[in-house]
Amino acid sequence: MHRRSLLLSILAAAVIGCVSTEAYAATPLDSIPATADVVLRMRKPKETIDKVVEMAGSVRSSLGDQMRQHADALGLFISNPTLAGVDRSRDWHVVAFAHADSDPYVVFIIPATDTDTLQKALPDGMASFVRDDCVFYCEEEAGLEPLKQGLPESGAGILSEMSEKSRPLFADSDISSFVNVDHLTATFSKQIGSHQVQLENLIKRRLGMLALVPGLDPDKMVGDGTDAVGQSVNDCTAFTAGIVISDDGVNIETYADFADGSATSAALAGMSTADMKSLTDLP
């Protein structure tokens, strides 16, 4: 009886441990907090590059060969020119945290075949840590702090900032980006306000001659226009873009989220939409 209870306890502990580990290591995206301002993702880089090469080769065989030869240059993008220790079969993520008075923190979340090799290949002074066979690294140690805490509490991660329509666009594209616009707007609220005034004054000076035309009021025209731009920026909460590569061409899709009940949302609701054509030829 005691032996059976012990076995059941061990089994239960093992199951709980597996569930906990699996939940913790779901995807690197799950560890990104909602305070991130920009998230870039490349889906399985080896497969994505292969698709680019095949598409380019279908246009001109020599172009496909050139793309293949330059594929390793992708390492420059992630500050690892040789791609040492990098796993190209899993998604790569790059995260930016903006600051109103300084440069943004840019954090790379790169899966590794060998975490030690990857860390040693990074430039001197690059701060890094390892979790779930991924190396998180940034030029500034402070940039890693929001990610060192592990999984955000339920509803506090970057996925909570994505709408039901933007999530699949981000997840299913070969190359995708998500901009947390409402957080960026809050961060740069003072700059946005001052730049809107500067833009309005500049346009008014350039269009001052229109005041000679009877019935035209340049000040009102410009004011209404810049107010509309400012309103759109304030109403927008998020922006997602995705690129899908196939033998037929490159399909680019974008999706902007606006606050429910906002002036911009109401204005867009009455507009007709049209599908974008795929890019099927190269210059």
Side-chain angles (χ1 to χ4, degrees):
M1 183 68 179
H2 291 294
R3 179 179 297 179
R4 183 180 179 184
S5 298
L6 178 60
L7 288 174
L8 288 174
S9 298
I10 293 174
L11 179 60
V15 169
I16 292 172
C18 289
V19 171
S20 299
T21 301
E22 186 176 14
Y24 183 85
T27 69
L29 190 64
D30 294 321
S31 66
I32 301 173
T35 53
D37 293 289
V38 180
V39 182
L40 304 178
R41 168 185 167 271
M42 176 176 276
R43 189 191 72 84
K44 299 180 179 180
K46 184 180 184 304
E47 288 186 14
T48 297
I49 293 299
D50 287 344
K51 291 168 72 173
V52 172
V53 170
E54 290 178 10
M55 187 205 66
S58 67
V59 176
R60 190 167 60 248
S61 59
S62 60
L63 183 59
D65 294 337
Q66 292 175 15
M67 296 292 290
R68 177 74 67 186
Q69 293 172 4
H70 292 90
D72 287 344
L74 196 62
L76 297 172
F77 173 70
I78 61 170
S79 299
N80 185 345
T82 65
L83 293 173
V86 172
D87 187 347
R88 305 185 211 186
S89 68
R90 291 189 285 160
D91 297 356
W92 296 358
H93 294 84
V94 181
V95 186
F97 296 90
H99 304 279
D101 54 357
S102 62
D103 291 338
Y105 295 146
V106 179
V107 181
F108 299 88
I109 308 175
I110 306 299
T113 55
D114 186 322
T115 55
D116 289 339
T117 299
L118 199 162
Q119 285 182 294
K120 290 177 181 177
L122 298 177
D124 292 340
M126 188 77 76
S128 66
F129 72 91
V130 175
R131 185 169 67 226
D132 301 326
D133 293 328
C134 286
V135 178
F136 295 63
Y137 55 97
C138 178
E139 289 184 351
E140 297 84 6
E141 181 72 39
L144 296 177
E145 290 304 319
L147 293 154
K148 281 185 176 180
Q149 301 172 12
L151 286 176
E153 296 180 3
S154 178
I158 194 64
L159 287 173
S160 68
E161 299 296 312
M162 298 184 186
S163 66
E164 292 183 1
K165 291 187 177 180
S166 62
R167 285 189 187 186
L169 174 59
F170 185 87
D172 298 338
S173 300
D174 293 310
I175 301 172
S176 52
S177 63
F178 174 75
V179 182
N180 193 355
V181 179
D182 55 351
H183 192 267
L184 272 174
T185 302
T187 300
F188 293 101
S189 58
K190 293 182 179 179
Q191 290 88 334
I192 290 174
S194 62
H195 288 166
Q196 182 177 338
V197 172
Q198 292 172 10
L199 176 62
E200 184 173 332
N201 290 336
L202 174 62
I203 296 176
K204 282 181 179 179
R205 288 198 299 271
R206 295 292 176 87
L207 299 182
M209 65 182 67
L210 293 180
L212 301 176
V213 180
L216 286 184
D217 185 349
D219 287 352
K220 185 177 187 306
M221 290 169 55
V222 173
D224 290 346
T226 53
D227 285 346
V229 172
Q231 185 67 49
S232 296
V233 171
N234 290 329
D235 290 346
C236 186
T237 59
F239 182 83
T240 309
I243 300 174
V244 176
I245 303 159
S246 68
D247 294 340
D248 297 327
V250 177
N251 186 68
I252 302 172
E253 184 176 349
T254 60
Y255 187 84
D257 289 291
F258 293 92
D260 293 338
S262 65
T264 305
S265 178
L268 291 175
M271 294 184 178
S272 59
T273 60
D275 293 335
M276 290 181 63
K277 294 184 177 179
S278 297
L279 176 62
T280 57
D281 196 6
L282 295 176

